[in-house]
Every structure is written in structure tokens, then in C-alpha cells.
Amino acid sequence: MKAEWLRRTGADHLIVVLTGWAVGAAPFRHLQGAADVLVLSDYRDLAGPCWPQGYAATDLVAWSFGVAAACHLPEPGGFRRKVAVCGSWSPCDDDLGIPRQIVRATAENLSARSLQQFARRAGCPVPGDADLQALGTELRAVMAREAGQVPTFDRIWLGAADRIFPLQNLRRAWQGWHEAVQELDCGHNPFVLWHDWSEVLG
């Protein structure tokens, strides 16, 4: 995974964000708050940078494919609060995630144009220097990976108008988690609704 600091001021609170495919840290740059914020991306290999220790509290926010990546973290219980946003622990799945044929076709036909189409459906910008070959490899890696151990999420946000993960599939994926699940009137990117990290953490 790759790491990017959005905020690092020596605060006593850290938010670790596992972001979605292809979009990096852009969807979160407007969010306010006193906590340090570290964004992890690129799920070709789930090994790599981890977050620093020594914070009084560390929270996890996992979005889109980041939700599945969170299921492979070595110590999911080390977080004070864990939030899943518009994603599934089984991300490439005809019943519980994005239908596999859609993910496969996206990887096989990936181009600058199709990436922009994805960005419009996802409701967030894609960095202009996107590496198409790496993004295709990432999709294939996510498809090939077995589901990990699902951590106990404290809040699960779903978007009623999600155009990336079908809402019915996400509802099936999270059935039995009723007290934690809340549906929002938004698409795949609910961060546009929020102004502060405290809203995201619920």
C-alpha cells in the first residue's frame, strides 16, 4: 500500500483512511478536524506502510475497496472506532459486492476515457497522473484475493444512489449488522455531505 499524509501536526488522535480505487486522497481534502490523517491506497499488495504508534486514539475509516482491505489488517482490534463507507468485505461478488464481470471488464478495457467515466459514477475526481497499468493490476489483485476477517465496524454508511456498489448487494453483505448500518441520500462518495471528520466517524 501507499501512504499519504493529509494532516500531520503531532495531534494525539490519528485517523487512518483506506481509500477507494484510483481516487487517492482527493475526496477527503476538504474535511476539517484536529486529528492527524493518513490515507492508504493501492491494494495490489496489502503489505507496506503501516501507521505510526504512540497516538492516544486511532480510528479507521475504510471506503469502497478499502473496506475489503481493512479485513486484511493484522490488528483490526487496535482501533478505537472503525467505520465502513460504501463498500463490502467481499468487493468482487455478484451478490455481495460489485458483480465480477463488471470488475473484469473494467480491468480489461481500462483507458483514460473509461477512468473518467468511472470517476463521474463514483462522484469524485481521479488524479491526472493516474497509472492505468497499475490500476488494472490492482483490480485484478482485488478480484483474486480471498475475503479476510471482517472487523467489527462501529458504523457502516451506505449510499442510496450508489452507482459503483449496487445498494441491494451492500444490504445483503451487511445484513445482521442493522444497528451499525445507516443509508444516506447520496451516491458512492458520501464525503461530499460532510465537513468534519467527526461526522464521518458518526
Side-chain angles (χ1 to χ4, degrees), residues 29-101:
R29 293 192 187 280
H30 68 285
L31 293 172
Q32 302 297 309
D36 286 352
V37 181
L38 179 65
V39 178
L40 301 180
S41 62
D42 189 349
Y43 306 127
R44 288 177 291 177
D45 184 350
L46 294 181
C50 59
W51 47 95
Q53 304 301 308
Y55 284 88
T58 301
D59 294 324
L60 173 69
V61 175
W63 176 44
S64 193
F65 274 1
V67 174
C71 299
H72 291 271
L73 294 179
E75 296 181 3
F79 295 101
R80 179 184 65 177
R81 188 163 179 80
K82 298 176 289 293
V83 178
V85 184
C86 295
S88 170
W89 49 270
S90 185
C92 305
D93 189 293
D94 292 346
D95 298 313
L96 304 174
I98 303 173
R100 293 185 65 83
Q101 181 54 37

